[in-house]
mmCIF file of all heavy atoms in Angstrom:
data_model
loop_
_atom_site.group_PDB
_atom_site.id
_atom_site.type_symbol
_atom_site.label_atom_id
_atom_site.label_comp_id
_atom_site.label_asym_id
_atom_site.label_seq_id
_atom_site.Cartn_x
_atom_site.Cartn_y
_atom_site.Cartn_z
ATOM 1 N N SER A 1 0.817 -1.216 0.000
ATOM 2 C CA SER A 1 0.000 0.000 0.000
ATOM 3 C C SER A 1 0.852 1.268 0.000
ATOM 4 O O SER A 1 0.331 2.365 -0.213
ATOM 5 C CB SER A 1 -0.942 0.013 1.207
ATOM 6 O OG SER A 1 -0.220 0.220 2.410
ATOM 7 N N LEU A 2 2.155 1.134 0.211
ATOM 8 C CA LEU A 2 3.036 2.298 0.190
ATOM 9 C C LEU A 2 3.194 2.870 -1.214
ATOM 10 O O LEU A 2 3.527 4.047 -1.381
ATOM 11 C CB LEU A 2 4.414 1.926 0.743
ATOM 12 C CG LEU A 2 4.458 1.576 2.236
ATOM 13 C CD1 LEU A 2 5.803 0.940 2.591
ATOM 14 C CD2 LEU A 2 4.223 2.827 3.083
ATOM 15 N N LEU A 3 2.969 2.066 -2.247
ATOM 16 C CA LEU A 3 3.106 2.543 -3.621
ATOM 17 C C LEU A 3 2.048 3.592 -3.923
ATOM 18 O O LEU A 3 0.859 3.401 -3.645
ATOM 19 C CB LEU A 3 2.987 1.380 -4.602
ATOM 20 C CG LEU A 3 4.156 0.392 -4.625
ATOM 21 C CD1 LEU A 3 3.782 -0.835 -5.442
ATOM 22 C CD2 LEU A 3 5.412 1.053 -5.184
ATOM 23 N N PHE A 4 2.493 4.719 -4.519
ATOM 24 C CA PHE A 4 1.577 5.828 -4.791
ATOM 25 C C PHE A 4 1.575 6.124 -6.291
ATOM 26 O O PHE A 4 2.508 6.727 -6.824
ATOM 27 C CB PHE A 4 2.003 7.078 -4.023
ATOM 28 C CG PHE A 4 0.991 8.197 -4.081
ATOM 29 C CD1 PHE A 4 -0.052 8.260 -3.173
ATOM 30 C CD2 PHE A 4 1.084 9.179 -5.054
ATOM 31 C CE1 PHE A 4 -0.998 9.282 -3.238
ATOM 32 C CE2 PHE A 4 0.154 10.202 -5.127
ATOM 33 C CZ PHE A 4 -0.887 10.251 -4.214
ATOM 34 N N PRO A 5 0.527 5.678 -7.010
ATOM 35 C CA PRO A 5 0.449 5.968 -8.438
ATOM 36 C C PRO A 5 -0.070 7.376 -8.707
ATOM 37 O O PRO A 5 -0.924 7.892 -7.972
ATOM 38 C CB PRO A 5 -0.526 4.905 -8.952
ATOM 39 C CG PRO A 5 -1.364 4.540 -7.774
ATOM 40 C CD PRO A 5 -0.552 4.791 -6.540
ATOM 41 N N ILE A 6 0.465 8.003 -9.757
ATOM 42 C CA ILE A 6 0.020 9.330 -10.181
ATOM 43 C C ILE A 6 -0.466 9.226 -11.617
ATOM 44 O O ILE A 6 0.300 8.809 -12.500
ATOM 45 C CB ILE A 6 1.156 10.359 -10.088
ATOM 46 C CG1 ILE A 6 1.664 10.468 -8.655
ATOM 47 C CG2 ILE A 6 0.700 11.725 -10.589
ATOM 48 C CD1 ILE A 6 2.895 11.357 -8.517
ATOM 49 N N PRO A 7 -1.716 9.579 -11.906
ATOM 50 C CA PRO A 7 -2.227 9.457 -13.274
ATOM 51 C C PRO A 7 -1.385 10.260 -14.265
ATOM 52 O O PRO A 7 -0.984 11.395 -14.001
ATOM 53 C CB PRO A 7 -3.652 10.005 -13.166
ATOM 54 C CG PRO A 7 -4.029 9.809 -11.728
ATOM 55 C CD PRO A 7 -2.762 10.028 -10.959
ATOM 56 N N ARG A 8 -1.137 9.669 -15.423
ATOM 57 C CA ARG A 8 -0.366 10.339 -16.468
ATOM 58 C C ARG A 8 -1.202 11.380 -17.219
ATOM 59 O O ARG A 8 -0.649 12.304 -17.813
ATOM 60 C CB ARG A 8 0.141 9.310 -17.482
ATOM 61 C CG ARG A 8 1.146 8.290 -16.939
ATOM 62 C CD ARG A 8 1.644 7.436 -18.101
ATOM 63 N NE ARG A 8 2.440 6.295 -17.707
ATOM 64 C CZ ARG A 8 3.772 6.270 -17.646
ATOM 65 N NH1 ARG A 8 4.457 7.371 -17.909
ATOM 66 N NH2 ARG A 8 4.421 5.168 -17.317
ATOM 67 N N PHE A 9 -2.521 11.233 -17.229
ATOM 68 C CA PHE A 9 -3.336 11.998 -18.177
ATOM 69 C C PHE A 9 -3.260 13.500 -17.954
ATOM 70 O O PHE A 9 -3.345 14.281 -18.921
ATOM 71 C CB PHE A 9 -4.801 11.535 -18.137
ATOM 72 C CG PHE A 9 -5.566 11.972 -16.912
ATOM 73 C CD1 PHE A 9 -6.211 13.207 -16.873
ATOM 74 C CD2 PHE A 9 -5.640 11.150 -15.807
ATOM 75 C CE1 PHE A 9 -6.911 13.617 -15.741
ATOM 76 C CE2 PHE A 9 -6.347 11.552 -14.678
ATOM 77 C CZ PHE A 9 -6.971 12.785 -14.637
ATOM 78 N N ALA A 10 -3.109 13.966 -16.705
ATOM 79 C CA ALA A 10 -3.158 15.408 -16.444
ATOM 80 C C ALA A 10 -2.026 16.139 -17.163
ATOM 81 O O ALA A 10 -2.250 17.152 -17.836
ATOM 82 C CB ALA A 10 -3.104 15.672 -14.941
ATOM 83 N N GLN A 11 -0.816 15.628 -17.025
ATOM 84 C CA GLN A 11 0.315 16.260 -17.699
ATOM 85 C C GLN A 11 0.215 16.084 -19.204
ATOM 86 O O GLN A 11 0.551 16.996 -19.975
ATOM 87 C CB GLN A 11 1.636 15.687 -17.174
ATOM 88 C CG GLN A 11 2.885 16.289 -17.813
ATOM 89 C CD GLN A 11 3.003 17.792 -17.581
ATOM 90 O OE1 GLN A 11 2.531 18.297 -16.565
ATOM 91 N NE2 GLN A 11 3.612 18.493 -18.529
ATOM 92 N N ARG A 12 -0.259 14.935 -19.648
ATOM 93 C CA ARG A 12 -0.377 14.697 -21.088
ATOM 94 C C ARG A 12 -1.418 15.603 -21.720
ATOM 95 O O ARG A 12 -1.250 16.031 -22.865
ATOM 96 C CB ARG A 12 -0.686 13.220 -21.349
ATOM 97 C CG ARG A 12 0.532 12.336 -21.108
ATOM 98 C CD ARG A 12 0.261 10.863 -21.290
ATOM 99 N NE ARG A 12 1.507 10.099 -21.242
ATOM 100 C CZ ARG A 12 1.587 8.786 -21.248
ATOM 101 N NH1 ARG A 12 0.464 8.053 -21.278
ATOM 102 N NH2 ARG A 12 2.765 8.175 -21.218
ATOM 103 N N GLU A 13 -2.472 15.903 -20.990
ATOM 104 C CA GLU A 13 -3.457 16.855 -21.505
ATOM 105 C C GLU A 13 -2.825 18.215 -21.760
ATOM 106 O O GLU A 13 -3.137 18.873 -22.757
ATOM 107 C CB GLU A 13 -4.623 16.997 -20.528
ATOM 108 C CG GLU A 13 -5.643 15.884 -20.624
ATOM 109 C CD GLU A 13 -6.870 16.167 -19.768
ATOM 110 O OE1 GLU A 13 -6.743 16.891 -18.757
ATOM 111 O OE2 GLU A 13 -7.957 15.667 -20.118
ATOM 112 N N LYS A 14 -1.924 18.643 -20.887
ATOM 113 C CA LYS A 14 -1.244 19.925 -21.067
ATOM 114 C C LYS A 14 -0.382 19.933 -22.317
ATOM 115 O O LYS A 14 -0.140 20.995 -22.913
ATOM 116 C CB LYS A 14 -0.371 20.238 -19.842
ATOM 117 C CG LYS A 14 -1.141 20.437 -18.553
ATOM 118 C CD LYS A 14 -0.187 20.675 -17.390
ATOM 119 C CE LYS A 14 -0.931 20.793 -16.075
ATOM 120 N NZ LYS A 14 -0.007 20.951 -14.923
ATOM 121 N N LEU A 15 0.090 18.760 -22.721
ATOM 122 C CA LEU A 15 0.929 18.645 -23.917
ATOM 123 C C LEU A 15 0.101 18.400 -25.176
ATOM 124 O O LEU A 15 0.661 18.244 -26.259
ATOM 125 C CB LEU A 15 1.938 17.507 -23.738
ATOM 126 C CG LEU A 15 2.949 17.659 -22.598
ATOM 127 C CD1 LEU A 15 3.808 16.405 -22.488
ATOM 128 C CD2 LEU A 15 3.818 18.892 -22.803
ATOM 129 N N GLY A 16 -1.212 18.357 -25.025
ATOM 130 C CA GLY A 16 -2.078 18.116 -26.181
ATOM 131 C C GLY A 16 -2.145 16.659 -26.584
ATOM 132 O O GLY A 16 -2.522 16.340 -27.713
ATOM 133 N N ILE A 17 -1.805 15.761 -25.666
ATOM 134 C CA ILE A 17 -1.839 14.329 -25.952
ATOM 135 C C ILE A 17 -3.198 13.782 -25.523
ATOM 136 O O ILE A 17 -3.598 13.923 -24.373
ATOM 137 C CB ILE A 17 -0.713 13.592 -25.207
ATOM 138 C CG1 ILE A 17 0.658 14.124 -25.658
ATOM 139 C CG2 ILE A 17 -0.802 12.086 -25.451
ATOM 140 C CD1 ILE A 17 1.814 13.554 -24.860
ATOM 141 N N SER A 18 -3.880 13.150 -26.453
ATOM 142 C CA SER A 18 -5.187 12.571 -26.149
ATOM 143 C C SER A 18 -5.001 11.124 -25.721
ATOM 144 O O SER A 18 -3.889 10.674 -25.434
ATOM 145 C CB SER A 18 -6.087 12.653 -27.387
ATOM 146 O OG SER A 18 -5.520 11.922 -28.457
ATOM 147 N N GLN A 19 -6.082 10.370 -25.697
ATOM 148 C CA GLN A 19 -6.000 8.971 -25.278
ATOM 149 C C GLN A 19 -5.133 8.149 -26.228
ATOM 150 O O GLN A 19 -4.496 7.189 -25.823
ATOM 151 C CB GLN A 19 -7.399 8.366 -25.190
ATOM 152 C CG GLN A 19 -8.223 8.911 -24.022
ATOM 153 C CD GLN A 19 -9.547 8.200 -23.882
ATOM 154 O OE1 GLN A 19 -10.044 7.615 -24.839
ATOM 155 N NE2 GLN A 19 -10.127 8.253 -22.699
ATOM 156 N N ARG A 20 -5.100 8.530 -27.511
ATOM 157 C CA ARG A 20 -4.231 7.834 -28.480
ATOM 158 C C ARG A 20 -2.845 8.439 -28.401
ATOM 159 O O ARG A 20 -2.622 9.584 -28.786
ATOM 160 C CB ARG A 20 -4.797 7.965 -29.884
ATOM 161 C CG ARG A 20 -3.980 7.213 -30.913
ATOM 162 C CD ARG A 20 -4.550 7.357 -32.301
ATOM 163 N NE ARG A 20 -3.703 6.673 -33.254
ATOM 164 C CZ ARG A 20 -4.123 5.757 -34.112
ATOM 165 N NH1 ARG A 20 -5.393 5.413 -34.123
ATOM 166 N NH2 ARG A 20 -3.292 5.197 -34.960
ATOM 167 N N LEU A 21 -1.882 7.675 -27.910
ATOM 168 C CA LEU A 21 -0.547 8.193 -27.698
ATOM 169 C C LEU A 21 0.201 8.331 -29.019
ATOM 170 O O LEU A 21 0.123 7.448 -29.881
ATOM 171 C CB LEU A 21 0.238 7.271 -26.766
ATOM 172 C CG LEU A 21 -0.287 7.106 -25.340
ATOM 173 C CD1 LEU A 21 0.621 6.169 -24.546
ATOM 174 C CD2 LEU A 21 -0.406 8.454 -24.638
ATOM 175 N N PRO A 22 0.987 9.404 -29.175
ATOM 176 C CA PRO A 22 1.775 9.592 -30.401
ATOM 177 C C PRO A 22 3.138 8.920 -30.318
ATOM 178 O O PRO A 22 4.002 9.175 -31.154
ATOM 179 C CB PRO A 22 1.917 11.119 -30.468
ATOM 180 C CG PRO A 22 1.945 11.547 -29.044
ATOM 181 C CD PRO A 22 1.026 10.604 -28.307
ATOM 182 N N PHE A 23 3.346 8.112 -29.300
ATOM 183 C CA PHE A 23 4.642 7.462 -29.129
ATOM 184 C C PHE A 23 4.464 6.107 -28.475
ATOM 185 O O PHE A 23 3.410 5.779 -27.923
ATOM 186 C CB PHE A 23 5.589 8.327 -28.291
ATOM 187 C CG PHE A 23 4.966 8.930 -27.057
ATOM 188 C CD1 PHE A 23 4.529 8.139 -25.996
ATOM 189 C CD2 PHE A 23 4.781 10.304 -26.958
ATOM 190 C CE1 PHE A 23 3.948 8.697 -24.870
ATOM 191 C CE2 PHE A 23 4.195 10.877 -25.836
ATOM 192 C CZ PHE A 23 3.781 10.074 -24.790
ATOM 193 N N LEU A 24 5.542 5.321 -28.553
ATOM 194 C CA LEU A 24 5.670 4.056 -27.843
ATOM 195 C C LEU A 24 6.820 4.210 -26.859
ATOM 196 O O LEU A 24 7.537 5.202 -26.883
ATOM 197 C CB LEU A 24 5.965 2.926 -28.837
ATOM 198 C CG LEU A 24 4.995 2.764 -30.005
ATOM 199 C CD1 LEU A 24 5.596 1.853 -31.072
ATOM 200 C CD2 LEU A 24 3.665 2.217 -29.527
ATOM 201 N N GLY A 25 7.007 3.214 -26.005
ATOM 202 C CA GLY A 25 8.159 3.295 -25.120
ATOM 203 C C GLY A 25 7.869 2.794 -23.720
ATOM 204 O O GLY A 25 6.859 2.126 -23.461
ATOM 205 N N ALA A 26 8.767 3.138 -22.816
ATOM 206 C CA ALA A 26 8.657 2.664 -21.435
ATOM 207 C C ALA A 26 9.526 3.531 -20.538
ATOM 208 O O ALA A 26 10.380 4.294 -21.009
ATOM 209 C CB ALA A 26 9.089 1.208 -21.325
ATOM 210 N N ASP A 27 9.290 3.409 -19.245
ATOM 211 C CA ASP A 27 10.136 4.021 -18.226
ATOM 212 C C ASP A 27 10.993 2.903 -17.638
ATOM 213 O O ASP A 27 10.473 1.935 -17.077
ATOM 214 C CB ASP A 27 9.293 4.672 -17.133
ATOM 215 C CG ASP A 27 8.303 5.681 -17.702
ATOM 216 O OD1 ASP A 27 8.657 6.374 -18.675
ATOM 217 O OD2 ASP A 27 7.175 5.767 -17.177
ATOM 218 N N LEU A 28 12.303 3.039 -17.791
ATOM 219 C CA LEU A 28 13.246 2.026 -17.326
ATOM 220 C C LEU A 28 13.815 2.460 -15.977
ATOM 221 O O LEU A 28 14.528 3.454 -15.895
ATOM 222 C CB LEU A 28 14.371 1.842 -18.347
ATOM 223 C CG LEU A 28 13.929 1.614 -19.798
ATOM 224 C CD1 LEU A 28 15.140 1.507 -20.707
ATOM 225 C CD2 LEU A 28 13.053 0.380 -19.913
ATOM 226 N N TRP A 29 13.492 1.716 -14.940
ATOM 227 C CA TRP A 29 13.953 2.025 -13.595
ATOM 228 C C TRP A 29 15.083 1.078 -13.213
ATOM 229 O O TRP A 29 15.103 -0.073 -13.628
ATOM 230 C CB TRP A 29 12.831 1.826 -12.569
ATOM 231 C CG TRP A 29 11.642 2.714 -12.667
ATOM 232 C CD1 TRP A 29 10.708 2.754 -13.661
ATOM 233 C CD2 TRP A 29 11.218 3.678 -11.695
ATOM 234 N NE1 TRP A 29 9.738 3.673 -13.364
ATOM 235 C CE2 TRP A 29 10.028 4.259 -12.167
ATOM 236 C CE3 TRP A 29 11.735 4.087 -10.466
ATOM 237 C CZ2 TRP A 29 9.332 5.231 -11.462
ATOM 238 C CZ3 TRP A 29 11.061 5.063 -9.757
ATOM 239 C CH2 TRP A 29 9.864 5.633 -10.254
ATOM 240 N N THR A 30 15.989 1.570 -12.377
ATOM 241 C CA THR A 30 16.966 0.705 -11.721
ATOM 242 C C THR A 30 16.852 0.926 -10.219
ATOM 243 O O THR A 30 16.903 2.068 -9.753
ATOM 244 C CB THR A 30 18.411 1.014 -12.161
ATOM 245 O OG1 THR A 30 18.474 1.087 -13.582
ATOM 246 C CG2 THR A 30 19.347 -0.078 -11.667
ATOM 247 N N ALA A 31 16.687 -0.163 -9.484
ATOM 248 C CA ALA A 31 16.614 -0.099 -8.019
ATOM 249 C C ALA A 31 17.914 -0.662 -7.455
ATOM 250 O O ALA A 31 18.244 -1.832 -7.680
ATOM 251 C CB ALA A 31 15.418 -0.894 -7.512
ATOM 252 N N PHE A 32 18.644 0.180 -6.742
ATOM 253 C CA PHE A 32 19.945 -0.200 -6.186
ATOM 254 C C PHE A 32 19.856 -0.613 -4.720
ATOM 255 O O PHE A 32 20.850 -1.101 -4.171
ATOM 256 C CB PHE A 32 20.932 0.966 -6.325
ATOM 257 C CG PHE A 32 21.268 1.305 -7.752
ATOM 258 C CD1 PHE A 32 20.537 2.256 -8.449
ATOM 259 C CD2 PHE A 32 22.319 0.673 -8.398
ATOM 260 C CE1 PHE A 32 20.855 2.577 -9.763
ATOM 261 C CE2 PHE A 32 22.644 0.984 -9.709
ATOM 262 C CZ PHE A 32 21.909 1.934 -10.399
ATOM 263 N N GLU A 33 18.714 -0.411 -4.075
ATOM 264 C CA GLU A 33 18.590 -0.677 -2.645
ATOM 265 C C GLU A 33 17.441 -1.656 -2.387
ATOM 266 O O GLU A 33 16.400 -1.282 -1.856
ATOM 267 C CB GLU A 33 18.384 0.632 -1.875
ATOM 268 C CG GLU A 33 19.548 1.612 -2.041
ATOM 269 C CD GLU A 33 19.304 2.958 -1.368
ATOM 270 O OE1 GLU A 33 18.248 3.104 -0.708
ATOM 271 O OE2 GLU A 33 20.144 3.858 -1.518
ATOM 272 N N LEU A 34 17.641 -2.888 -2.804
ATOM 273 C CA LEU A 34 16.639 -3.933 -2.613
ATOM 274 C C LEU A 34 17.256 -5.043 -1.759
ATOM 275 O O LEU A 34 18.258 -5.641 -2.135
ATOM 276 C CB LEU A 34 16.189 -4.492 -3.956
ATOM 277 C CG LEU A 34 15.253 -5.714 -3.899
ATOM 278 C CD1 LEU A 34 13.957 -5.383 -3.170
ATOM 279 C CD2 LEU A 34 14.967 -6.225 -5.316
ATOM 280 N N SER A 35 16.665 -5.289 -0.600
ATOM 281 C CA SER A 35 17.151 -6.340 0.289
ATOM 282 C C SER A 35 15.975 -6.938 1.050
ATOM 283 O O SER A 35 14.990 -6.249 1.326
ATOM 284 C CB SER A 35 18.197 -5.778 1.270
ATOM 285 O OG SER A 35 18.706 -6.798 2.103
ATOM 286 N N TRP A 36 16.090 -8.219 1.385
ATOM 287 C CA TRP A 36 15.050 -8.927 2.123
ATOM 288 C C TRP A 36 15.722 -10.017 2.960
ATOM 289 O O TRP A 36 16.958 -10.183 2.923
ATOM 290 C CB TRP A 36 14.022 -9.531 1.160
ATOM 291 C CG TRP A 36 14.581 -10.603 0.261
ATOM 292 C CD1 TRP A 36 14.552 -11.950 0.452
ATOM 293 C CD2 TRP A 36 15.291 -10.404 -0.976
ATOM 294 N NE1 TRP A 36 15.182 -12.616 -0.564
ATOM 295 C CE2 TRP A 36 15.643 -11.684 -1.467
ATOM 296 C CE3 TRP A 36 15.650 -9.281 -1.719
ATOM 297 C CZ2 TRP A 36 16.339 -11.858 -2.661
ATOM 298 C CZ3 TRP A 36 16.347 -9.449 -2.905
ATOM 299 C CH2 TRP A 36 16.683 -10.726 -3.376
ATOM 300 N N LEU A 37 14.939 -10.756 3.734
ATOM 301 C CA LEU A 37 15.454 -11.862 4.537
ATOM 302 C C LEU A 37 15.046 -13.187 3.905
ATOM 303 O O LEU A 37 13.922 -13.317 3.391
ATOM 304 C CB LEU A 37 14.903 -11.798 5.959
ATOM 305 C CG LEU A 37 15.141 -10.495 6.735
ATOM 306 C CD1 LEU A 37 14.505 -10.610 8.119
ATOM 307 C CD2 LEU A 37 16.627 -10.161 6.849
ATOM 308 N N ASN A 38 15.959 -14.163 3.939
ATOM 309 C CA ASN A 38 15.546 -15.488 3.489
ATOM 310 C C ASN A 38 14.777 -16.196 4.598
ATOM 311 O O ASN A 38 14.531 -15.625 5.674
ATOM 312 C CB ASN A 38 16.747 -16.305 2.987
ATOM 313 C CG ASN A 38 17.719 -16.698 4.090
ATOM 314 O OD1 ASN A 38 17.445 -16.554 5.290
ATOM 315 N ND2 ASN A 38 18.880 -17.221 3.687
ATOM 316 N N ALA A 39 14.407 -17.447 4.370
ATOM 317 C CA ALA A 39 13.568 -18.160 5.338
ATOM 318 C C ALA A 39 14.252 -18.325 6.690
ATOM 319 O O ALA A 39 13.585 -18.481 7.720
ATOM 320 C CB ALA A 39 13.186 -19.524 4.766
ATOM 321 N N ARG A 40 15.579 -18.248 6.733
ATOM 322 C CA ARG A 40 16.333 -18.392 7.978
ATOM 323 C C ARG A 40 16.702 -17.041 8.586
ATOM 324 O O ARG A 40 17.410 -16.987 9.585
ATOM 325 C CB ARG A 40 17.590 -19.225 7.722
ATOM 326 C CG ARG A 40 17.286 -20.638 7.213
ATOM 327 C CD ARG A 40 18.553 -21.381 6.846
ATOM 328 N NE ARG A 40 19.408 -21.581 8.004
ATOM 329 C CZ ARG A 40 20.654 -22.055 7.925
ATOM 330 N NH1 ARG A 40 21.169 -22.371 6.745
ATOM 331 N NH2 ARG A 40 21.376 -22.209 9.028
ATOM 332 N N GLY A 41 16.209 -15.960 7.990
ATOM 333 C CA GLY A 41 16.453 -14.628 8.536
ATOM 334 C C GLY A 41 17.726 -13.967 8.065
ATOM 335 O O GLY A 41 18.068 -12.878 8.556
ATOM 336 N N LYS A 42 18.463 -14.597 7.154
ATOM 337 C CA LYS A 42 19.703 -14.005 6.651
ATOM 338 C C LYS A 42 19.389 -12.987 5.561
ATOM 339 O O LYS A 42 18.639 -13.279 4.620
ATOM 340 C CB LYS A 42 20.623 -15.082 6.092
ATOM 341 C CG LYS A 42 21.947 -14.537 5.582
ATOM 342 C CD LYS A 42 22.809 -15.642 4.991
ATOM 343 C CE LYS A 42 24.088 -15.067 4.393
ATOM 344 N NZ LYS A 42 24.932 -16.116 3.765
ATOM 345 N N PRO A 43 19.971 -11.768 5.626
ATOM 346 C CA PRO A 43 19.705 -10.766 4.583
ATOM 347 C C PRO A 43 20.179 -11.227 3.199
ATOM 348 O O PRO A 43 21.240 -11.841 3.059
ATOM 349 C CB PRO A 43 20.497 -9.547 5.054
ATOM 350 C CG PRO A 43 20.599 -9.714 6.536
ATOM 351 C CD PRO A 43 20.744 -11.199 6.745
ATOM 352 N N GLN A 44 19.365 -10.921 2.212
ATOM 353 C CA GLN A 44 19.669 -11.154 0.796
ATOM 354 C C GLN A 44 19.569 -9.811 0.084
ATOM 355 O O GLN A 44 18.894 -8.886 0.565
ATOM 356 C CB GLN A 44 18.671 -12.133 0.183
ATOM 357 C CG GLN A 44 18.504 -13.431 0.961
ATOM 358 C CD GLN A 44 19.735 -14.292 0.924
ATOM 359 O OE1 GLN A 44 20.156 -14.745 -0.129
ATOM 360 N NE2 GLN A 44 20.335 -14.506 2.098
#
């Protein structure tokens, strides 16, 4: 529940972009701080 989505449409409306997008693509993220515990409690 910590994830907070922000709708894209508001900014795209300001750019004159309608529901039909004039481009393809993606947002490429890199996460450098990902850690968890295994079943025995050891950090991974």
